[in-house]
């Protein structure tokens, strides 16, 4: 594949760029470098073989059109997005601009690029979330046939972009694919998200914030397994199809945080606060907080032979080790203005 990857300076995008480039695919990473992109991530990627970076907004049609003309990709993996639910509650506007309007403009640029290539297909993989399906009760799981019931401005904007992508396939014959994935974890995740928030707070002996009673259930997937799934879908998925991706690793938020605390106990046994679990603090719940997500991955397993490789405990331990081993990465985020302060509607950060 000759790949354009949007959002490649972010958490999941950087894992996709890394895996694709090390597998020998030429990659052009297009990223606007919003607050969510870390310069350290970019410099890690810079030494990859066959890798080029372009700083641009996906909604900047002239720049994107020129980039597609010059690089001539046969496959586009679209990850660029505003991705944090709490931010979408406090200020939905950028979510509409990037996730909906930006995706629309990128689809149009891709359509023009595909038309210019005539004989050869251009594949467009839109990377979406299981949050578009809303919240599950105590049983059952999401799959490719689940109805859309987004509950937050973030998930509504992703749902809208899924619909645009589908329509560009049906109406214009673009070779579109959609993936809906569960919660990811791993290195290089912006520290406003739950797992890095917990590790940072535990490292510093600060309160570890958990929304409500921590009973919400999420299905966790290591980011490298997600990257592998995306490259398989991009290469071998059937245009027009959707693929549900997940880790088959459901945990309540409280269980997940306790596991992280136990790993921190092993890594940093001598603390002034005793066991790291002592730092857990319950804070006011997020409005519209989905209770449970779970994903049935039968289709991608059977159609593309993909299964997650990383066991949750092992992946969490590796993630803790990465954060403990890369304090400079977090310092860079802080230097750019991230304080870990509350965003407004709830007490301390700690969102999933
Ligand atoms: P992230 O916030 O870490 O990274 C997003 C990247 O997109 C950043 O590098 C940012 O600079 C870039 N970006 C934002 N707006 C842009 C614009 N207008 N033009 C160009 N670049 C822009 O996000 P993430 O967690 O890596 O998520 C990546 C994608 O995967 C998103 O589409 C998200 O909806 C989806 N997803 C995420 C998860 C998860 O658990 N994090 C799960 C399922 C799906």
């Amino acid at each position: 594949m000759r790949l354009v990857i949007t959002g490649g300076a972010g958490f999941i995008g950087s894992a996709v760029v890394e895996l694709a480039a090390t597998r020998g695919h030429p990659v052009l990473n297009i990223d606007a470098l919003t607050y969510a992109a870390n310069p350290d991530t970019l410099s890690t990627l810079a030494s990859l073989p066959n890798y080029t970076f372009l700083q641009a907004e996906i909604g900047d049609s002239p720049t994107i059109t020129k980039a597609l003309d010059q690089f001539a990709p046969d496959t586009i993996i679209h990850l660029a997005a505003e991705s944090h639910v709490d931010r979408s509650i406090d200020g939905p506007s950028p979510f509409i601009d990037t996730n909906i309007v930006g995706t629309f403009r990128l689809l149009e640029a891709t359509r023009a690029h595909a038309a210019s290539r005539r004989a050869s297909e251009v594949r467009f993989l839109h990377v979406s979330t299981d949050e578009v399906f809303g919240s599950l009760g105590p049983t059952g799981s999401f799959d490719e046939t689940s109805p859309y019931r987004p509950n937050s401005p973030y998930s509504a904007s992703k749902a809208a972009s899924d619909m645009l992508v589908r329509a560009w396939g049906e109406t214009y014959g673009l070779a579109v694919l959609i993936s809906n994935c569960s919660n990811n974890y791993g290195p290089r995740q912006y520290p406003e998200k739950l797992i890095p928030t917990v590790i940072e707070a535990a490292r510093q002996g600060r309160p570890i914030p958990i929304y409500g009673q921590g009973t919400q259930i999420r299905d966790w997937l290591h980011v490298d397994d997600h990257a592998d799934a995306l490259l398989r879908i991009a290469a071998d998925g059937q245009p027009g199809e959707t693929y549900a991706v997940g880790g088959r690793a459901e945990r309540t938020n409280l269980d997940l945080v306790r596991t992280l605390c136990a790993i921190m106990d092993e890594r940093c046994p001598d603390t002034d606060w005793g066991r790291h679990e002592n730092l857990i603090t319950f804070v006011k719940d997020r409005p519209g907080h989905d209770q449970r997500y779970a994903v049935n991955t039968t289709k991608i397993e059977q159609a593309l032979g993909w299964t997650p490789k990383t066991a949750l405990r092992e992946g969490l331990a590796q993630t803790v080790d990465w954060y403990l081993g890369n304090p400079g990465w977090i310092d860079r985020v802080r230097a750019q203005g991230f304080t870990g302060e509350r965003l407004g509607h709830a007490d301390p950060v700690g969102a999933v």
Side-chain angles (χ1 to χ4, degrees):
M1 291 183 286
R2 192 169 172 79
L3 287 167
V4 160
I5 297 176
T6 71
F11 166 48
I12 302 173
S14 60
V16 181
V17 166
E18 211 163 35
L19 188 64
T22 47
R23 285 184 183 171
H25 303 292
V27 173
L28 170 63
N29 172 12
I30 301 181
D31 196 297
L33 301 185
T34 68
Y35 81 93
N38 188 310
D40 285 2
T41 298
L42 267 190
S43 47
T44 308
L45 301 179
S47 57
L48 290 168
N50 288 317
Y51 169 75
T52 324
F53 173 67
L54 171 68
Q55 181 173 2
E57 292 274 340
I58 51 166
D60 176 355
S61 302
T63 303
I64 299 294
T65 301
K66 192 169 158 205
L68 296 183
D69 266 7
Q70 286 177 348
F71 186 75
D74 52 41
T75 307
I76 296 171
I77 305 182
H78 174 36
L79 296 108
E82 289 293 335
S83 69
H84 189 39
V85 175
D86 284 349
R87 283 180 189 265
S88 82
I89 295 170
D90 292 339
S93 189
F95 289 74
I96 307 304
D97 293 344
T98 287
N99 300 1
I100 305 178
V101 180
T103 298
F104 155 67
R105 295 214 171 114
L106 185 66
L107 281 166
E108 281 294 82
T110 305
R111 186 158 78 91
H113 173 59
S116 75
R117 285 170 60 92
R118 284 191 204 96
S120 45
E121 193 176 59
V122 177
R123 294 161 71 84
F124 185 100
L125 168 55
H126 176 62
V127 180
S128 190
T129 164
D130 61 352
E131 297 187 33
V132 298
F133 304 128
S135 185
L136 288 165
T139 56
S141 53
F142 299 130
D143 66 16
E144 294 76 6
T145 63
S146 297
Y148 275 60
R149 291 199 180 103
N151 291 323
S152 72
Y154 163 67
S155 54
S157 70
K158 291 299 289 188
S161 60
D162 290 11
M163 296 297 131
L164 290 174
V165 171
R166 180 189 148 80
W168 260 240
E170 293 293 321
T171 303
Y172 302 114
L174 207 61
V176 297
L177 303 125
I178 297 176
S179 63
N180 294 98
C181 186
S182 62
N183 285 67
N184 283 214
Y185 69 95
R188 297 196 293 250
Q189 188 170 29
Y190 195 80
E192 65 193 352
K193 306 279 173 69
L194 177 67
I195 289 178
T197 295
V198 172
I199 298 170
E200 258 308 276
R203 193 171 70 84
Q204 296 179 10
R206 287 192 283 108
I208 296 172
I210 299 190
Y211 281 143
Q213 294 304 303
T215 54
Q216 288 89 3
I217 294 172
R218 300 292 180 259
D219 170 14
W220 292 95
L221 178 68
H222 192 278
V223 67
D224 290 343
D225 282 324
H226 189 193
D228 181 44
L230 292 175
L231 290 183
R232 282 182 200 231
I233 298 168
D236 300 321
Q238 189 64 33
E241 293 287 318
T242 288
Y243 296 87
V245 185
R248 290 191 187 268
E250 283 185 59
R251 295 289 185 281
T252 65
N253 286 346
L254 186 56
D255 280 348
L256 183 90
V257 172
R258 283 193 170 133
T259 304
L260 288 166
C261 287
I263 296 166
M264 286 296 292
D265 288 345
E266 289 165 16
R267 302 300 192 264
C268 312
D270 297 319
T271 65
D272 293 343
W273 48 91
R275 295 177 61 213
H276 291 86
E277 231 185 89
N278 297 336
L279 299 169
I280 291 176
T281 310
F282 295 101
V283 300
K284 189 172 156 231
D285 211 348
R286 167 196 283 168
H289 204 172
D290 290 336
Q291 179 57 32
R292 177 170 168 259
Y293 305 139
V295 176
N296 179 337
T297 51
T298 306
K299 178 172 169 178
I300 187 170
E301 286 173 17
Q302 291 182 351
L304 302 178
W306 175 87
T307 47
K309 302 275 180 302
T310 316
L312 184 60
R313 181 71 164 66
E314 172 201 326
L316 289 175
Q318 181 234 46
T319 304
V320 168
D321 289 340
W322 188 87
Y323 279 98
L324 294 181
N326 290 275
W329 194 90
I330 296 274
D331 292 345
R332 280 281 230 157
V333 178
R334 287 193 192 291
Q336 289 179 318
F338 177 75
T339 60
E341 292 300 317
R342 52 189 284 185
L343 286 169
H345 65 273
D347 283 331
V349 292
V352 178

